[in-house]
Amino acid sequence: MKLASYNNGRRDGQLMLVSKDLSKTVAVPAIAHTMQELLDAWQLLQPQLSELYDALNDGLIDNAIDFDESKCLSPLPRAYQWADGSAYVNHVELVRKARGAQMPETFWTDPLVYQGGSDCFIAPKADIPLGSEEWGIDFESEIAIITDDVPMGVSTENAEKHIKLLMLVNDVSLRNLIPGELAKGFGFYQAKPSSSFSPVAVTPDELGARWEDSKVHLPLITHLNRKLFGQPNAGVDMTFNFSQLVSHVAMTRPLGAGAIIGSGTISNYDRSAGSSCLAETRMLETIADGKPSTSFMKFGDRVRIEMLDDNNKTIFGSIDQQIVEYKA
């Protein structure tokens, strides 16, 4: 099943059911008005939506309209919880190596997670307004999952059944603000502005065999200024799968329906497929040449993030955004 949230002038948008090929869509107010309303009652409402989804794909919905990604907000325009992990530990290892820092062994056994701002996500086709190029503007191409209600202390074995939807992420990072914030010993805040998510969220079964062991086994494709930047495989070198991340995040607290958990930057040990953020490319340059040669993003730069199925068809639609100067 594929779902989206159209911009209807309200904060949480209008829940839309989207056909498998992303060609048609229909509002479902008789079932749920918003994505959060659906997630709050997933067990009750999902079977009704699934039946309607089959009819939509079979061309049997008379009031279906053409699907338009430009009308989409992030699937959850705001959420009660946004916890982003760093499941690709080779990426963390690389970043630390470039600055001459040793990586603690616990990083391989205990996931890194930070709590991001979730009150205002950016639409997938909207500009990203930022105050200064000096902040070190970077994209991070990731995958995220959305859960239903997760009990505190859920085991890894039981966590996967709570994963209801998947989507893509652009986790914007301001690299030059990170060192100062981390030096305070209290984590990210200003260095992590609003994130963006793909136009469409999909149930795991939509990925077929490409969803295995709580991982997505497909390349995540990033273009920077319309040039291919990287396409590492999201299922390769993922140290902690999504079930492990859910279990970790819920260790000391329950998660409410609609909680979003991110994978962190997709990264492979085999660097031939490129990277999913500028920071990693700069670190590789630093290790090879002693200094980076790739600059961070400037106003006017554009990033596009997408994932294709085995038939080269888009699964989630694309995040396609331009960096612009914010003017109060």
Side-chain angles (χ1 to χ4, degrees):
M1 191 162 60
K2 298 193 175 187
L3 301 161
S5 293
Y6 263 17
N7 186 351
N8 64 349
R10 298 184 178 183
R11 247 176 231 244
D12 297 310
Q14 171 69 58
L15 178 66
M16 306 294 291
L17 189 63
V18 184
S19 63
K20 188 177 185 67
D21 63 1
L22 305 192
S23 65
K24 295 293 181 179
T25 188
V26 64
V28 288
I31 298 175
H33 291 88
T34 67
M35 186 75 76
Q36 185 62 52
E37 186 180 335
L38 168 63
L39 290 159
D40 284 339
W42 182 270
Q43 297 302 327
L44 175 66
L45 301 179
Q46 185 272 338
Q48 302 174 50
L49 266 183
S50 184
E51 185 176 339
L52 199 61
Y53 182 63
D54 291 339
L56 178 63
N57 287 320
D58 290 338
L60 302 177
I61 306 296
D62 292 337
N63 60 334
I65 58 175
D66 291 341
F67 179 60
D68 185 351
E69 292 185 26
S70 69
K71 294 181 179 179
C72 289
L73 303 171
S74 284
L76 278 170
R78 55 178 174 169
Y80 293 114
Q81 175 79 263
W82 161 226
D84 196 16
S86 191
Y88 298 84
V89 179
N90 78 84
H91 172 74
V92 182
E93 185 179 41
L94 178 66
V95 170
R96 294 179 71 89
K97 180 180 179 181
R99 66 171 190 259
Q102 293 295 316
M103 193 175 76
E105 284 299 317
T106 56
F107 279 31
W108 293 103
T109 57
D110 195 30
L112 291 171
V113 177
Y114 80 91
Q115 190 158 351
S118 60
D119 52 336
C120 185
F121 296 132
I122 300 175
K125 304 295 186 183
D127 292 339
I128 300 172
L130 292 168
S132 173
E133 293 179 340
E134 300 303 312
W135 290 345
I137 304 165
D138 199 356
F139 57 85
E140 290 191 57
S141 303
E142 307 181 10
I143 300 170
I145 55 98
I146 305 176
T147 72
D148 61 2
D149 288 299
V150 181
M152 183 172 71
V154 68
S155 67
T156 299
E157 292 73 24
N158 290 328
E160 184 169 329
K161 69 182 181 182
H162 294 287
I163 298 172
K164 299 307 178 187
L165 295 167
L166 296 108
M167 51 189 180
L168 307 182
V169 192
N170 180 15
D171 179 43
V172 182
S173 293
L174 305 177
R175 301 295 185 182
N176 292 340
L177 300 185
I178 288 177
E181 287 203 291
L182 292 184
K184 297 177 182 178
F186 219 56
F188 302 120
Y189 189 84
Q190 291 175 331
K192 290 290 187 175
S194 297
S195 299
S196 306
F197 297 85
S198 53
V200 174
V202 311
T203 50
D205 62 286
E206 288 290 331
L207 299 175
R210 296 299 186 174
W211 172 252
E212 183 181 5
D213 189 29
S214 291
K215 300 176 183 179
V216 179
H217 294 267
L218 284 167
L220 183 57
I221 304 165
T222 303
H223 285 82
L224 178 61
N225 294 327
R226 296 180 174 83
K227 294 181 179 179
L228 180 64
F229 185 82
Q231 48 185 345
N233 192 299
V236 177
D237 303 319
M238 189 180 191
T239 308
F240 304 104
N241 65 24
F242 280 112
S243 291
Q244 291 171 303
L245 291 176
V246 170
S247 179
H248 177 79
V249 172
M251 176 180 172
T252 62
R253 65 176 100 169
L255 304 179
I260 304 172
I261 300 174
S263 65
T265 306
I266 310 299
S267 180
N268 293 164
Y269 274 112
D270 179 358
R271 309 297 179 186
S272 64
S275 300
S276 294
C277 69
L278 290 165
E280 182 170 287
T281 297
R282 287 168 57 87
M283 293 305 170
L284 289 167
E285 293 167 347
T286 299
I287 292 168
D289 306 321
K291 63 180 181 179
S293 54
T294 298
S295 63
F296 288 122
M297 297 182 80
K298 305 295 184 184
F299 299 139
D301 284 348
R302 179 173 291 278
V303 62
R304 180 184 175 94
I305 302 167
E306 192 168 22
M307 181 172 278
L308 307 179
D309 64 17
D310 292 333
N311 297 312
N312 286 323
K313 302 295 184 182
T314 186
I315 299 171
F316 303 88
S318 66
I319 299 172
D320 196 339
Q321 301 176 298
Q322 188 174 39
I323 305 296
V324 299
E325 184 175 9
Y326 173 73
K327 298 181 185 296

